[in-house]
Amino acid sequence: LLADVGLVGFPNAGKSTLISRISAARPKIADYPFTTLTPNLGVVALTDDRSFVVADVPGLIEGAHRGLGLGHQFLRHLERTKVLVHLVDIHGATGREPVEDLDTLRRELQLFDATLAAKPQIVVANKIDAAHPVEDAPRIAALGRRAGELGLPFFRISAVTGAGVPDLLEAMWQRLTSSRQSAA
């Protein structure tokens, strides 16, 4: 086991920013692809002496299941987690489409290993602090609808400001607790 929860996302989705907000981990954070080259682990402490370990793994790109980008190295790290959190950048300035990103991430997991794709998952719209209220609102809503279609919990957060993060952490704990009970 590498970590309880694995953060999954394209490069620059905010995975390192989130782990630095929720734990004492201090990964390199920069505005260029593949800032993270090795997993960063952080311990998340919640109330009532609850804690779990989160892994910020290198960004995924389409074709990772074939070894593109950090490919198999990245995906092997995720095999050693119990819960996956899809961190999706919803800020329109990137030119990316959040629903397409989520579908690509999930497809890469499935193509690599169906067992990996079957892990408990959460979908997170990140960078709501930078979202344009009119232009990005439909993109956020579409991502929420897609998560609903997949039966996955959906959260809106800002890893930078911390907005929405406490509810996300509780959801991570609940998914983790549920996965432990299912395994028993």
Side-chain angles (χ1 to χ4, degrees):
L1 183 67
L2 173 73
D4 296 306
V5 176
L7 301 179
V8 182
F10 277 86
N12 296 99
K15 299 176 300 297
S16 295
T17 302
L18 180 59
I19 199 170
S20 71
R21 169 155 299 276
I22 63 177
S23 74
R26 294 295 169 250
K28 181 177 182 181
I29 299 172
D31 191 19
Y32 57 85
F34 300 109
T35 308
T36 303
L37 297 175
T38 59
N40 293 295
L41 301 178
V43 177
V44 175
L46 300 175
T47 58
D48 301 324
D49 291 325
R50 299 174 297 155
S51 65
F52 57 94
V53 178
V54 174
D56 159 28
V57 295
L60 176 72
I61 61 171
E62 191 165 10
H65 73 280
R66 294 189 318 265
L68 295 180
L70 297 175
H72 290 126
Q73 292 174 330
F74 164 87
L75 292 163
R76 276 195 295 265
H77 291 310
L78 291 177
E79 285 181 313
R80 297 169 36 207
T81 63
K82 294 179 183 169
V83 175
L84 303 175
V85 175
H86 297 283
L87 209 61
V88 181
D89 183 345
I90 54 82
H91 186 252
T94 64
R96 304 193 63 84
E97 286 300 322
V99 172
E100 288 177 25
D101 283 359
L102 175 62
D103 288 344
T104 298
L105 293 170
R106 290 178 44 82
R107 184 172 47 255
E108 289 298 322
L109 297 176
Q110 180 66 39
L111 290 170
F112 182 73
D113 182 353
T115 305
L116 179 60
K119 288 181 183 272
Q121 300 172 41
I122 297 172
V123 177
V124 178
N126 189 29
K127 302 186 183 181
I128 61 169
D129 58 304
H132 187 277
V134 175
E135 294 172 12
D136 291 332
R139 297 156 44 83
I140 297 167
L143 183 61
R145 280 191 304 277
R146 182 67 179 133
E149 291 166 2
L150 296 168
L152 301 176
F154 177 68
F155 293 86
R156 295 166 182 84
I157 72 158
S158 168
V160 170
T161 69
V165 171
D167 290 338
L168 172 61
L169 294 179
E170 286 298 328
M172 288 179 188
W173 176 259
Q174 292 304 318
R175 291 297 255 197
L176 184 56
T177 303
S178 296
S179 74
R180 285 178 182 156
Q181 291 170 348
S182 297

